[in-house]
Amino acid sequence: MNYTPIINSKLNQFKKNYELDNLKENDAFELFINNLILRIYQPESFSLVNELFDQICVGGQDDTGIDGLAIKINGIFVSTKQDIDNIISKNPRINIDFLFIQSKNKPNLDSGEFGKFMDGIVDYLSETQVEPHNNKIENWIEIKNYLCSEDILVHWENSPNIKIFYAYTGEWKKDEHILAKYKRAKSIIDNTKL
């Protein structure tokens, strides 16, 4: 089935609703997908004029292949160390979710682009980052490092969940190159302290 007309219709409505007609199509698509995925988790928390949404949308130069990066603690999105402290003050046991989003407004998966996304996730979750990253990702690295500090680690109920979303306008066809890149990244992530 060709989903392009349906996706284009929804994307155009999204652009109209948020007055994004001046944005490049690919940039608008990134915002559309980030908004769509985040609303699945916490519908009442997101609009495009929201500071949290702006922080989560990390795409651009030096984005390490990641368009959206979010952290949830006990089901609530956080964006500061203070948010984490506030949650812990109410409930000393925490569960953490890391969400990574990449979107491509094209009908085919590209293993190079997918590999860059997976490499960006691995780099972010590593103890030391080696890839150049922008200020928004730097903020998320600081928050991740705070979550991994001894003061906060004692509050972890379980190891964090890692949720990865790669959206594109085509239909999934099993691709051994994509699956290999995923398996390699998963293996590396499984071997981190996260």
Side-chain angles (χ1 to χ4, degrees):
M1 177 176 188
N2 182 3
Y3 296 104
T4 305
I6 297 166
I7 293 169
N8 284 341
S9 173
K10 291 186 179 290
L11 178 59
N12 288 334
Q13 187 62 49
F14 176 79
K15 287 170 62 175
K16 182 179 175 185
N17 289 348
Y18 291 104
E19 300 174 359
L20 301 172
D21 291 325
N22 60 334
L23 230 73
K24 292 179 185 174
E25 196 76 9
N26 289 338
D27 294 338
F29 187 73
E30 285 179 16
L31 294 176
F32 172 67
I33 294 299
N34 285 347
N35 187 270
L36 184 68
I37 290 171
L38 296 170
R39 284 181 178 273
I40 290 169
Y41 286 93
Q42 208 166 334
E44 70 282 354
S45 292
F46 293 99
S47 75
L48 291 188
V49 291
N50 175 307
E51 186 178 324
L52 175 60
F53 186 73
D54 182 56
Q55 284 183 271
I56 288 170
C57 295
V58 298
Q61 187 170 349
D62 293 333
D63 62 12
T64 69
I66 300 169
D67 292 333
L69 199 166
I71 300 173
K72 283 176 54 183
I73 298 178
N74 294 352
I76 299 168
F77 285 102
V78 298
S79 62
T80 66
K81 295 175 185 176
Q82 185 62 50
D83 291 343
I84 297 166
D85 293 340
N86 289 343
I87 291 170
I88 290 174
S89 72
K90 295 175 184 142
N91 183 354
R93 303 305 303 157
I94 61 171
N95 291 293
I96 304 164
D97 293 307
F98 289 97
L99 286 76
F100 299 94
I101 306 168
Q102 174 55 265
S103 54
K104 295 293 180 189
N105 191 5
K106 53 171 84 169
N108 299 309
L109 276 172
D110 178 288
S111 64
E113 290 172 340
F114 183 80
K116 181 179 178 186
F117 175 52
M118 298 308 291
D119 288 345
I121 294 169
V122 167
D123 189 70
Y124 173 81
L125 294 172
S126 298
E127 283 188 49
T128 305
Q129 288 67 46
V130 294
E131 291 195 31
H133 50 269
N134 61 36
N135 290 337
K136 288 182 178 182
I137 291 179
E138 180 63 34
N139 176 63
W140 289 112
I141 290 169
E142 289 175 16
I143 293 169
K144 184 233 0 169
N145 290 342
Y146 185 62
L147 283 169
C148 294
S149 68
E150 287 185 28
D151 291 341
I152 304 301
L153 270 170
V154 297
H155 297 283
W156 288 19
E157 191 159 20
N158 301 299
S159 293
N161 294 306
I162 312 282
K163 298 175 187 279
I164 298 171
F165 302 89
Y166 193 98
Y168 66 106
T169 58
E171 194 171 325
W172 168 249
K173 293 177 179 75
K174 189 174 181 179
D175 182 317
E176 295 302 324
H177 298 284
I178 299 289
L179 292 173
K181 290 182 184 307
Y182 168 76
K183 288 176 187 173
R184 183 173 126 301
K186 183 180 182 318
S187 174
I188 294 168
I189 291 168
D190 287 345
N191 288 320
T192 68
K193 68 180 178 180
L194 292 175

